[in-house]
Amino acid sequence: GASTGALALYALPALRRHGYRSADAAGLVAAAGSLGAVAPPGIMLFFVADAIGVQVPALFLAMLAPLALLLVLYLAFAIVRGSPVRVEAAGTSSVAGALLTAGLMVGLVALVALGLATLSEAAALGAVGAVLAGALHGRLTLRVLDQAIRQTALLSAMVFFIFVGANVFSFVFRLLGGAEMVSAGARALGTGSYAPL
């Protein structure tokens, strides 16, 4: 939810400005936002790891290859569908900013993959790296920092609101016997012991 909200806030207007159709822009934002559930260090990885009994770093590493494949497919779709409007070539500052952002992301994933940082430490390092990148480009002001903190708090509140709502729904669902009904239905399909899990 948070990643899709953030992407819709920033990427959707940018895609529309560059001439993407509304349907294509919304599809790209929704598809990329769905990666937030599985992209390390997505919060869903913690719940899935706990549910299936694996360590979070192992699941983190297992998600890298499928995530890379999905990113390549999304990029191919964006290139094939393409922007119908010619846009000016990106300036050197925007290219440098994109490379700096990509380098920061790859560096954080490498730190976690090599076991040099935990997921929480990587998140903190990412925040520090973003602040330093803003200062390096001369765009770090108190107003920008305040706006970033407010938007982060808003997105975090949205995620926790979704989490609370999902827990309430899950509790009521289990209380009314929904989990047993779903398990019984899965067993009735004759798929063995894997379906009810």
Side-chain angles (χ1 to χ4, degrees):
S3 58
T4 308
L7 277 175
L9 193 63
Y10 296 110
L12 195 57
L15 288 170
R16 294 290 309 279
R17 268 197 317 271
H18 288 299
Y20 282 87
R21 293 185 311 143
S22 297
D24 291 340
L28 284 170
V29 167
S34 68
L35 295 178
V38 294
I43 193 168
M44 285 304 297
L45 290 180
F46 293 96
F47 295 113
V48 171
D50 184 52
I52 63 177
V54 266
Q55 294 182 350
V56 176
L59 192 60
F60 172 87
L61 293 175
M63 289 307 302
L64 292 179
L67 181 65
L69 177 63
L70 285 173
L71 287 174
V72 168
L73 292 174
Y74 293 162
L75 181 61
F77 173 82
I79 291 172
V80 168
R81 292 303 291 255
S83 170
V85 178
R86 290 181 61 87
V87 295
E88 301 100 15
T92 55
S93 62
S94 61
V95 172
L99 290 176
L100 183 62
T101 303
L104 180 62
M105 290 169 40
V106 169
L108 292 175
V109 170
L111 282 175
V112 175
L114 294 173
L116 299 175
T118 65
L119 297 177
S120 300
E121 292 168 349
L125 287 172
V128 170
V131 169
L132 291 177
L136 184 65
H137 284 283
R139 296 182 180 174
L140 183 65
T141 62
L142 286 178
R143 182 179 176 187
V144 169
L145 193 59
D146 178 64
Q147 185 179 7
I149 291 171
R150 287 176 186 272
Q151 288 180 350
T152 301
L154 181 65
L155 289 173
S156 299
M158 182 178 69
V159 169
F160 281 111
F161 183 73
I162 292 171
F163 181 69
V164 168
N167 275 337
V168 169
F169 171 77
S170 175
F171 177 72
V172 172
F173 185 74
R174 286 195 309 268
L175 190 65
L176 295 176
E180 289 80 6
M181 289 175 57
V182 171
S183 294
R187 278 192 296 270
L189 294 174
T191 54
S193 60
Y194 292 104
L197 294 176

